Amino acid sequence: MNIPPFRLIVMGVAGCGKTTLAKALGERMGLAMVDGDDLHLAESVEKMRAGIPLQDSDRWPWLDRIGAHLSEPHPHGRVVACSALKRAYRDRIRAQAGEVFFIFLNGDFELICQRMRQRQDHYMPLDLLESQFHTLERPQPEEGDVIELPITEAINDLVCLAWAAAQTHRQHPAPSTTETSP
């Protein structure tokens, strides 16, 4: 039986710890890791740097690049840190990449706001955090390929929980509920 490589997305609002967890998972699982921020067009980065929230028209090509990146061959698989805030965004990635497992880092506004205040050298301004929470469509159980983890856990614990969930999902994938048009 040929087991496909892992395709993981660590998702959530800005400042939740996506990049930190994606890097740790990449190291633990031998996955190629990329920060989805690195796949944004320069124009989108400039919008965010200026405090202008991205629109869906800005995001669709970015999501396509993420899906294409995930689908590229790698012996063990790939992990991407990507907000994937709406179900339509997750579905877009699924359509490009095939079977993907999402790890949703969930935390409250105040804690994430505090974390963002401590970050340095990141283009995402704190005042866009509210728009991220407004845009967020929390993954629902029928999506089947998402695990939710609290950002209050230590990174080593998050890695262990995500690793176990990804392994379980790989062995027993949930039926796809992504709607497709005829």
Side-chain angles (χ1 to χ4, degrees):
M1 179 162 111
N2 190 9
I3 299 174
F6 281 101
R7 293 183 182 121
L8 304 178
I9 295 278
V10 180
M11 62 165 286
V13 298
C16 71
K18 296 182 297 289
T19 302
T20 301
L21 181 57
K23 283 180 182 176
L25 284 168
E27 290 172 9
R28 165 86 183 259
M29 299 169 72
L31 306 176
M33 183 275 178
V34 73
D35 191 324
D37 287 346
D38 296 337
L39 299 175
H40 272 299
L41 294 176
E43 297 83 16
S44 294
V45 172
E46 287 309 311
K47 276 185 173 182
M48 289 182 282
R49 192 181 312 271
I52 302 168
L54 297 182
Q55 302 301 311
D56 285 351
S57 59
D58 300 309
R59 289 187 182 102
W60 297 131
W62 172 64
L63 294 165
D64 290 342
R65 283 190 297 280
I66 288 170
H69 174 77
L70 281 170
S71 69
E72 291 174 5
H74 185 274
H76 303 289
R78 297 179 178 277
V79 59
V80 176
C82 168
S83 55
L85 296 176
K86 290 184 181 180
R87 180 166 182 169
Y89 303 165
R90 296 185 293 276
D91 288 345
R92 183 82 169 225
I93 293 169
R94 290 176 182 112
Q96 292 285 326
E99 185 177 329
V100 179
F101 186 69
F102 293 84
I103 301 152
F104 171 44
L105 292 179
N106 189 17
D108 68 39
F109 182 85
E110 293 305 319
L111 177 56
I112 294 174
C113 191
Q114 176 186 1
R115 286 183 175 187
M116 285 185 70
R117 282 189 190 105
Q118 295 171 353
R119 287 199 316 187
Q120 297 177 14
D121 301 325
H122 195 280
Y123 62 81
M124 178 68 88
L126 182 59
D127 54 343
L128 283 183
L129 183 59
E130 191 171 322
S131 75
Q132 291 242 311
F133 269 91
H134 179 72
T135 301
L136 176 63
E137 294 174 1
R138 295 181 182 282
Q140 298 300 305
E142 67 270 7
E143 286 186 68
D145 58 359
V146 183
I147 182 175
E148 181 177 323
L149 297 176
I151 66 169
T152 53
E153 296 292 324
I155 188 65
N156 289 336
D157 293 339
L158 288 172
V159 168
C160 290
L161 291 168
W163 168 254
Q167 290 284 15
T168 299
H169 177 73
R170 172 180 259 186
Q171 294 168 1
H172 307 287
S176 174
T177 60
T178 305
E179 294 181 21
T180 57
S181 34

